[in-house]
Amino acid sequence: MDRRTTPFSGRLALPSLRGLVEATFVQGEAASVKHPVVDLLAHPNGARERQLLLGDTVTVIDLSDDHAFVQAAKDGYCGWVNAAAIGPATTPTHWIAARASHLYTRPKIQAPERAVLPFGAALTVTALHDSFAETPQGYVPLAHLRGLNDRPTDPLTVAESLLGTPYLWGGNTAAGIDCSGLVQAAMLACGLACPGDSDQQQTLGRALEDKMPLQRGDLLFWKGHVAWVADARRILHANGHTMSVAFEPIASAIGRILAQDGGPVIARRRVFTP
């Protein structure tokens, strides 16, 4: 079993694992992320594996001191989060479609901001005030919001909007993102299912034979790395070479990664047709 998607904290597990693990089985409790961004950890106070965003739905499986073991609804990823970042389940109506936004104390651009909201965060709009939407957390510019079912159709265009974002291992936002985070953020923004890590993303779409020409929107995979194909000559990826989301010539990237012992391309996938 893949620990990342196995809803088992080490002592409590969801009933779907009966007969597979020795545990006390619980139904879990539906909840939502209430902070703009929260790290999903391998274990309490451990390393970040991914990030969850405001409005993400989770199932709380276990509690240990100030941490909660959860499974994210968007991709099945399991891990520990700061328990203070989790609250009652909500029903979002809108999502942040801008690269980032702010949560304001009042519906005025001069008002103090409470927080930075990441691309992809989901909120419940309760009222409209001219150019602002009211939510339980505060006020958000209407220009930065889309209805929950109002989605773009080209994941690569979404990924390109994050050009220049600094690289961050396990990151999922425009404040910092990694290679698989860039793929997932773009796919989820378009309403397309997508796992969290690059090895898991090798199941997306369909495999391409080596002789088939690459096209815009394909994915190239190395061991531990993934990149969007931007066009016949370039890829777009969040990478440790430039420490950013950047374009790079395909041939140069393949040669550089091989020279740095990153190995050859191991998979080519077509996940959508522009």
Side-chain angles (χ1 to χ4, degrees):
M1 292 184 291
D2 188 335
R3 176 191 59 78
R4 297 168 296 179
T5 53
T6 301
F8 175 42
S9 70
R11 62 174 191 148
L12 303 183
L14 293 184
S16 60
L17 294 179
R18 286 188 189 277
L20 299 175
V21 298
E22 293 186 8
T24 298
F25 293 96
V26 297
Q27 291 299 323
E29 181 178 355
S32 293
V33 175
K34 66 178 185 178
H35 288 182
V37 184
V38 58
D39 287 343
L40 188 65
L41 311 174
H43 52 81
N45 299 309
R48 174 181 56 243
E49 294 195 314
R50 294 254 50 95
Q51 291 178 319
L52 301 178
L53 311 182
L54 175 68
D56 277 348
T57 300
V58 299
T59 300
V60 179
I61 299 167
D62 199 357
L63 293 170
S64 177
D65 296 326
D66 58 351
H67 283 76
F69 183 78
V70 304
Q71 183 171 41
K74 65 183 179 183
D75 57 9
Y77 218 111
C78 298
W80 294 88
V81 298
N82 186 331
I86 303 297
T90 61
T91 305
T93 60
H94 292 72
W95 63 287
I96 299 292
R99 183 182 173 106
S101 186
H102 288 103
L103 188 68
Y104 289 87
T105 56
R106 292 179 290 117
K108 292 184 181 247
I109 61 174
Q110 300 89 348
E113 76 281 5
R114 285 180 175 159
V116 177
L117 298 178
F119 174 78
L123 307 99
T124 303
V125 172
T126 56
L128 300 180
H129 301 267
D130 295 325
S131 61
F132 281 83
E134 182 177 354
T135 76
Q137 296 87 3
Y139 299 89
V140 181
L142 271 174
H144 292 170
L145 292 173
R146 283 193 183 194
L148 204 62
N149 295 318
D150 181 7
R151 299 284 176 175
T153 57
D154 184 342
L156 181 53
T157 298
V158 175
E160 288 171 335
S161 74
L162 296 170
L163 183 66
T165 296
Y167 182 86
L168 181 70
W169 181 274
N172 281 82
T173 78
I177 203 163
D178 68 6
C179 64
S180 58
L182 182 65
V183 171
Q184 188 184 56
M187 294 285 284
L188 293 183
C190 295
L192 302 171
C194 183
D197 287 341
S198 62
D199 63 319
Q200 300 168 322
Q201 291 168 353
Q202 288 181 42
T203 62
L204 292 171
R206 62 185 178 89
L208 297 176
E209 297 179 7
D210 290 342
K211 64 182 179 181
M212 293 183 65
L214 295 169
Q215 70 179 32
R216 176 179 169 83
D218 289 343
L219 292 176
L220 290 184
F221 292 89
W222 291 259
K223 183 179 180 181
H225 189 60
V226 59
W228 287 103
V229 174
D231 53 44
R233 294 173 296 176
R234 300 179 303 161
I235 56 173
L236 176 76
H237 58 157
N239 67 91
H241 178 61
T242 65
M243 288 302 290
S244 67
V245 175
F247 291 107
E248 186 175 1
I250 294 174
S252 297
I254 289 174
R256 175 181 61 76
I257 293 172
L258 188 62
Q260 294 173 346
D261 295 325
V265 171
I266 59 173
R268 297 151 34 111
R269 307 288 296 186
R270 180 149 296 160
V271 295
F272 82 106
T273 299

